[in-house]
Amino acid sequence: MAAPAQPPPSGPVTEFSVLARESNGAGGYDVAAAEKAVRAAGGTVVTSNAAAGLLTAAAPADGFADRVSGAVFGVARAKAIGTVPKDGKPRPKPDAVETDALDAASAPRAAATSAGLDPLDGQLWGLKSVRSDLARTVQPGDKRVKVGIIDSGVDGGHPDIAPNFDRAASRNFTKDIVADVNGVPVDGPCEYRGCVDPVDVDDNGHGTHLAGTIGAAANGFGVSGVAPNVTLVNLRAAQDSGFYFLQPTVDALTYAGDAGIDVVDMSFYIDPWLFNCAANPADSAAEQAEQRTIIEATKRALNYAHRKGVSQVVALGNQHSDLATPQPDATSPDYPSNSARPRRIDNASCLTLPLEGPHTIGVAGFGPSQAKADYSNYGTEQISVSAPGGYKRDYFGSPWYDSRENEILSTYPRNVGVAAGYIDAAGDLTPAGVSVGIQKSAAGGRVGYYRWLQGTSMAAPHAAGVAALIVSEYGSPSSGGLGLDPDVVQRVLEGTASDVACPVPRTVDYLDEGRDASYTATCVGDASFNGFYGHGAVDAWSAVTRGGPYLRG
């Protein structure tokens, strides 16, 4: 007797990530079969990525996954799409760590004497910490080296970004989401026809900040980056609101491989799950299948990019957690709204991605005193190196404690500042902008803005900049650019990093700094490798002058 027919899908239209099965012995993925299954189940294929076998399909929410799952590797609900809310205001993904400087205005210290090539470089303690000021005297970066910023976008018109920005190679893999299925604003009203932002626009600011740290031009204006002569490419995978969903992330990674990108920076985790668990008992069967799909698709994309020569630098995360023994997660799923619940995390079966995927270089964050930043994740399981991430509460007990200048200053889009009320229509800083430390530079008809932030998101681009210098120094001509095996890049980055020993005592609490006991951390390992600093603090000067012994494994 034939099985009873399944009812047709129903409910609001939702986007699903559909992962194709591997082709039998062909080394690829049966995308055609997955597309056929989507259509047979009442869905429509929105986009398809053959390199990873990942499709986005639009279909009614209820019943689609059950109908299509038998013919594919897995299905994950990607985005539930709603109608325009009454107020139209976006709901940014919260990150209290990065904007800790906004909690209260702190009295600024006197600016340091300019020590770099550009006027504001004297405030970039991170630039000096990684010794980019020395490295650039022998290797400032090669224009043939391309660094992809997989993030919220890049303001390609910023005076410090424009000289190094490759608009032709840049891509936006996202489409604005006005609101979620609950009617809660996400990105807000679309600013451009078709709800797709141009490739030189950043409506969030996060990606532009990273781009400036990596490769702001040494042009006598504003700030300069760790690798001031490399090429910057926007590979946008984040919504304006700061959510990073699976399909855009996978698309950005596989495109990076196909487009000859040498290094990518990924300062995020893939939403909606901070940890993707194969079989967490707190999750429904559908949610477990969703997370298994995210794990497999991300691994495929990371492997693909690595095979194509992409070095993948990833922030270690801001959950102040030893990643070998992760703390409970009360933030997931963070999309759609009002979905999060407490979950215990089993390290053996749960992954935070892309960090815990293959071929990644995990970067922890420290402050200007080189103390581990209170927010930074740690532990010997995932860390590779450490880098300046900013730590506003560094230097407890001194006049420098709780200073904005303990964070990382970098490029900031004017449009974001205007939307936030920090910059007025004439381009001047408002009192609110001054109070949170926004800076403005103007010279020769150019105007640029800059903002302080902290987080492992700010540490990773310091490491990505050093990785780009390594490719610039040791890479070989390849397809019109320079290329260097990502495994070699990682060996040089780790091998030339400056050893940093564990503190004494090894266990550090942050109670004096106003943090609770959950922030208390214990450093395991020795000066050559430990859970706070990995193989050490990235060192651009050593990387470009002493990397030779690490070129062969």
Side-chain angles (χ1 to χ4, degrees):
M1 179 181 296
Q6 292 180 310
S10 61
V13 173
T14 299
E15 286 191 358
F16 292 86
S17 295
V18 180
L19 193 62
R21 290 174 174 165
E22 292 188 23
S23 300
N24 293 330
Y29 307 104
D30 198 345
V31 174
E35 291 178 345
K36 181 179 179 180
V38 166
R39 289 189 289 268
T44 301
V45 176
V46 177
T47 186
S48 182
N49 184 317
L54 182 66
L55 291 66
T56 292
D62 301 327
F64 173 78
D66 292 336
R67 291 172 66 91
V68 79
S69 60
V72 298
F73 177 92
V75 183
R77 187 175 297 212
K79 300 190 289 285
I81 302 169
T83 56
V84 180
K86 291 181 180 179
D87 63 7
K89 295 180 180 178
R91 176 179 69 95
K93 178 180 172 182
D95 194 327
V97 167
E98 293 187 358
T99 56
D100 191 25
L102 307 186
D103 291 346
S106 56
R109 300 197 312 252
T113 303
S114 179
L117 294 179
D118 285 353
L120 298 183
D121 283 354
Q123 300 181 58
L124 307 189
W125 62 267
L127 198 72
K128 293 187 283 291
S129 175
V130 304
R131 300 208 289 178
S132 169
D133 53 339
L134 293 178
R136 69 183 59 190
T137 64
V138 297
Q139 180 53 268
D142 191 301
K143 282 284 188 241
R144 293 172 293 176
V145 174
K146 296 181 178 181
V147 182
I149 297 90
I150 303 182
D151 211 87
S152 64
V154 175
D155 177 7
H158 192 289
D160 276 321
I161 301 294
N164 292 339
F165 185 68
D166 187 340
R167 192 182 193 284
S170 294
R171 297 289 185 273
N172 177 7
F173 297 101
T174 69
K175 185 174 182 179
D176 287 352
I177 304 171
V178 176
D180 68 18
V181 72
N182 298 321
V184 175
V186 180
D187 297 326
C190 300
E191 301 94 338
Y192 298 91
R193 290 186 178 92
C195 295
V196 177
D197 295 345
V199 296
D200 56 356
V201 169
D202 179 6
D203 282 330
N204 178 285
H206 194 262
T208 298
H209 198 279
L210 310 184
T213 296
I214 294 167
N219 57 354
F221 180 88
V223 300
S224 65
V226 173
N229 280 10
V230 300
T231 295
L232 301 172
V233 182
N234 174 25
L235 304 179
R236 179 172 167 179
Q239 304 300 134
D240 290 345
S241 49
F243 290 96
Y244 299 77
F245 294 115
L246 179 64
Q247 183 82 50
T249 302
V250 167
D251 288 347
L253 280 167
T254 58
Y255 173 81
D258 292 337
I261 304 298
D262 297 287
V263 179
V264 293
D265 181 280
M266 294 183 281
S267 293
F268 61 89
Y269 66 85
I270 297 174
D271 295 294
W273 305 93
L274 173 58
F275 287 92
N276 291 274
C277 303
N280 193 313
D283 303 330
S284 69
E287 289 172 330
Q288 292 173 2
E290 172 183 313
Q291 292 167 77
R292 290 193 294 269
T293 299
I294 294 172
I295 292 169
E296 176 65 18
T298 305
K299 287 181 176 179
R300 290 182 185 181
L302 291 167
N303 281 326
Y304 183 87
H306 179 265
R307 288 197 303 270
K308 292 280 191 169
V310 183
S311 295
Q312 301 170 107
V313 180
V314 187
L316 207 65
N318 297 340
Q319 290 75 41
H320 57 275
S321 183
D322 182 343
L323 289 171
T325 56
Q327 299 183 34
D329 172 27
T331 66
S332 302
D334 61 11
Y335 187 94
S337 55
N338 305 316
S339 300
R341 59 182 179 275
R343 307 159 71 223
R344 297 189 66 83
I345 302 301
D346 170 43
N347 186 55
S349 60
C350 299
L351 300 174
T352 185
L353 295 167
L355 172 68
E356 294 187 303
H359 309 300
T360 60
I361 301 170
V363 186
F366 57 74
S369 75
Q370 213 165 60
K372 173 196 169 295
D374 55 3
Y375 57 78
S376 181
N377 286 346
Y378 61 99
T380 57
E381 184 176 282
Q382 299 298 331
I383 194 171
S384 173
V385 291
S386 52
Y391 177 24
K392 184 169 182 276
R393 305 180 192 210
D394 205 352
Y395 293 116
F396 179 79
S398 83
W400 290 355
Y401 170 67
D402 206 30
S403 293
R404 185 177 294 120
E405 289 81 357
N406 292 338
E407 301 192 318
I408 303 298
L409 183 68
S410 190
T411 43
Y412 183 57
R414 174 175 174 167
N415 58 298
V416 177
V418 170
Y422 299 149
I423 302 169
D424 66 21
D428 296 321
L429 300 183
T430 65
V434 173
S435 73
V436 300
I438 306 298
Q439 295 192 29
K440 175 183 177 180
S441 286
R446 298 174 293 178
V447 179
Y449 300 89
Y450 307 87
R451 181 184 184 180
W452 300 94
L453 290 174
Q454 68 173 9
T456 57
S457 285
M458 286 67 243
H462 283 90
V466 177
L469 292 178
I470 291 169
V471 180
S472 298
E473 180 67 17
Y474 306 109
S476 301
S478 174
S479 302
L482 287 180
L484 189 62
D485 186 324
D487 293 336
V488 175
V489 174
Q490 183 167 357
R491 284 202 303 271
V492 176
L493 186 70
E494 294 175 348
T496 61
S498 301
D499 288 351
V500 184
C502 287
V504 179
R506 288 175 175 264
T507 297
V508 179
D509 70 54
Y510 300 91
L511 301 177
D512 287 339
E513 291 82 0
R515 301 302 196 185
D516 62 36
S518 70
Y519 284 79
T520 298
T522 299
C523 185
V524 175
D526 57 24
S528 64
F529 182 76
N530 61 66
F532 279 14
Y533 302 99
H535 292 276
V538 295
D539 188 326
W541 170 249
S542 290
V544 300
T545 60
R546 301 168 190 165
Y550 303 98
L551 297 179
R552 287 177 288 276

